[in-house]
Amino acid sequence: MTTHRIYTMSFASVYPHYVTKAERKGRSQAEVDEIISWLTGYSAKQLQTVLDEEVDFETFFAQAPAMNPSRSLITGVICGVRVEEIEEPLMREIRYLDKLIDEMARGKAMEKVLRS
């Protein structure tokens, strides 16, 4: 089985793209951080440490303090694939994050994005 290239990419290299996407649509870095915190349980300080240490996506999700059990409520299509049908657990986690960022950037209210 080949591993996907994104698994070994540093989370810090992709994070600015999440922020840029949000800001282009009138949203904020704080909202991106809120999504990441909701999904993974990382505090602001822990997230900064992850970014400073440039951990890869595999490590980012493996060391997440508390993956949100409500993440299974995230459904829909991202990159042409239904997230709920992705079998590889790590890829599903990455796509959950992508989907949440995408929904926020499209103007969805944070309460709905965070499945509150």
Side-chain angles (χ1 to χ4, degrees):
M1 180 174 106
T2 60
T3 59
H4 294 275
R5 194 177 73 158
I6 192 156
Y7 295 176
T8 58
M9 289 177 67
S10 84
F11 182 76
S13 70
V14 177
Y15 176 80
H17 298 288
Y18 291 143
V19 174
T20 300
K21 182 175 189 171
E23 290 176 343
R24 259 197 335 256
K25 300 294 185 164
R27 303 305 282 258
S28 69
Q29 179 178 347
E31 289 173 303
V32 172
D33 293 350
E34 184 179 353
I35 287 171
I36 293 168
S37 177
W38 178 88
L39 182 64
T40 63
Y42 282 108
S43 68
K45 185 177 179 182
Q46 290 169 320
L47 178 58
Q48 190 57 56
T49 300
V50 164
L51 295 171
D52 292 342
E53 293 177 358
E54 297 189 5
V55 302
D56 60 31
F57 269 90
E58 191 167 17
T59 305
F60 176 78
F61 282 105
Q63 294 180 350
M67 293 301 292
N68 193 314
S70 296
R71 70 191 186 282
S72 62
L73 299 174
I74 302 167
T75 59
V77 177
I78 190 80
C79 298
V81 178
R82 295 204 68 78
V83 292
E84 61 271 25
E85 294 175 2
I86 297 172
E87 292 187 22
E88 254 183 272
L90 179 57
M91 184 58 76
R92 190 176 328 113
E93 302 299 351
I94 293 168
R95 294 304 183 199
Y96 281 156
L97 179 56
D98 291 345
K99 182 69 178 165
L100 294 174
I101 298 293
D102 194 50
E103 289 178 355
M104 183 251 319
R106 289 182 179 191
K108 208 172 197 184
M110 285 301 282
E111 304 81 53
K112 292 197 186 273
V113 172
L114 302 181
R115 309 312 195 252
S116 303

